[in-house]
Amino acid sequence: MTDNFIAVIDGSTSKTRKQLSWWMSNGRYAAKTVARYIKKMPAGTTSSQFCQGVTAAIAKKYGKSKMQHYAQHPEERLTASCIVFSRLRREIWMVGDCHCLVGDNYFDNPKPTEQAMAQKRSDEAHRLMAEGLATKDELLTHDKARESIIPQLVEEMKKQNVTYAVIDGFPIPRQKVKVIPLDFSPWTIVLASDGYPFLKPTLEASEQALAQQRLTDPLNIETFKATKAFMQGNNSFDDRSYIRFSI
């Protein structure tokens, strides 16, 4: 939060062990870089200027000599999704996987293949259990079903900033960025990362829905299908951030 912007930033889960920084994951590094950029943005920044500026901020971390390498290896990039509210422009900008509530209206911006990948993982988990190759508890400790789709997830990353938008140091296609204009009516707004599969008007209700999902379908292969499970010892399947405010 700044005087002029409110944002939720979600670093992408690494699909490779290679990291740009030895002390933090690529997703966390990306999120911190985006946050630092937003803190310095002029109040009148447009969505287009944000996309250009934050892309340059990430690219700077690579260095010019490594840009060709990262062009060929998107799985190694610093990658994040972000949803931003601009106070001055009264707009919400959605870059990558994120969602929001504007009053009673729900908006999201998912990857085009996310549900297909989640379905493949669900099918594989069902197969492993049906054939006696793994139990539910074993999959919650060692998710072989997710491992089976990692090559496809890495392959899909080659389409970053082509078929879908992310912040990764490479040009963001403007047509893939969702911009929500707000009139001058009073609005209550919720911005959240995709770690909340069921976005509710309050944090408490969103947490309750998440807890219910964990209780009834911890593998995320039935009532809600995802590319990850609630791994043993975790109270969620993904990073989660939630902020509600009124304008």
Side-chain angles (χ1 to χ4, degrees):
M1 292 180 63
T2 71
D3 290 341
N4 296 293
F5 302 98
I6 297 173
V8 165
I9 308 159
D10 186 8
S12 297
T13 303
S14 295
K15 309 299 189 299
T16 174
R17 296 191 179 191
K18 292 186 179 180
Q19 295 181 179
L20 195 62
S21 164
W22 64 267
W23 68 90
M24 71 176 82
S25 69
N26 283 351
R28 183 172 179 80
Y29 196 0
K32 283 184 171 292
T33 303
V34 175
R36 283 194 295 269
Y37 179 80
I38 292 173
K39 286 178 182 178
K40 297 177 181 178
M41 283 199 310
T45 298
T46 65
S47 62
S48 180
Q49 288 169 338
F50 166 68
C51 289
Q52 292 171 1
V54 79
T55 294
I58 294 287
K60 189 176 180 180
K61 299 298 182 182
Y62 302 149
K64 291 182 180 179
S65 64
K66 294 290 185 71
M67 287 300 289
Q68 185 59 38
H69 172 82
Y70 286 108
Q72 296 172 353
H73 295 279
E75 71 278 6
E76 295 181 22
R77 296 176 194 167
L78 304 180
T79 302
S81 296
C82 186
I83 182 168
V84 184
F85 165 73
S86 165
R87 180 186 64 82
L88 189 65
R89 295 195 171 273
R90 292 184 74 87
E91 292 178 340
I92 296 171
W93 312 328
M94 307 177 74
V95 185
D97 279 344
C98 46
H99 51 171
C100 67
L101 290 172
V102 180
D104 295 326
N105 304 304
Y106 174 76
F107 300 90
D108 66 354
N109 194 29
K111 295 177 186 174
T113 60
E114 185 76 7
Q115 280 308 301
M117 292 295 100
Q119 184 62 56
K120 286 185 177 182
R121 178 181 161 273
S122 173
D123 293 342
E124 178 63 7
H126 281 295
R127 184 190 72 80
L128 290 169
M129 291 188 290
E131 296 180 7
L133 299 175
T135 65
K136 181 174 77 172
D137 287 343
E138 287 171 343
L139 290 176
L140 290 172
T141 302
H142 180 188
D143 192 349
K144 295 179 181 179
R146 176 172 172 79
E147 288 180 355
S148 74
I149 64 168
I150 288 293
Q152 292 166 291
L153 291 176
V154 170
E155 187 67 22
E156 284 299 314
M157 293 179 77
K158 294 178 181 178
K159 300 175 183 177
Q160 284 184 190
N161 286 327
V162 178
T163 62
Y164 64 94
V166 291
I167 299 168
D168 69 353
F170 288 79
I172 299 170
R174 295 291 294 114
Q175 69 274 20
K176 302 299 180 182
V177 176
K178 188 173 289 188
V179 177
I180 304 167
L182 304 167
D183 61 24
F184 285 89
S185 304
W187 292 104
T188 295
I189 296 169
V190 172
L191 309 181
S193 67
D194 61 350
Y196 285 104
F198 311 108
L199 195 55
K200 305 293 183 181
T202 67
L203 176 60
E204 181 181 17
S206 298
E207 285 283 344
Q208 288 175 347
L210 184 68
Q212 182 64 26
Q213 174 64 21
R214 181 188 178 199
L215 180 66
T216 59
D217 180 24
L219 284 173
N220 288 332
I221 59 173
E222 300 287 356
T223 54
F224 168 72
K225 295 176 182 178
T227 58
K228 307 174 190 174
F230 290 78
M231 299 305 290
Q232 193 172 55
N234 295 348
N235 65 1
S236 187
F237 66 94
D238 202 355
D239 300 336
R240 61 196 194 275
S241 295
Y242 180 109
I243 186 167
R244 183 181 72 246
F245 56 96
S246 296
I247 61 171

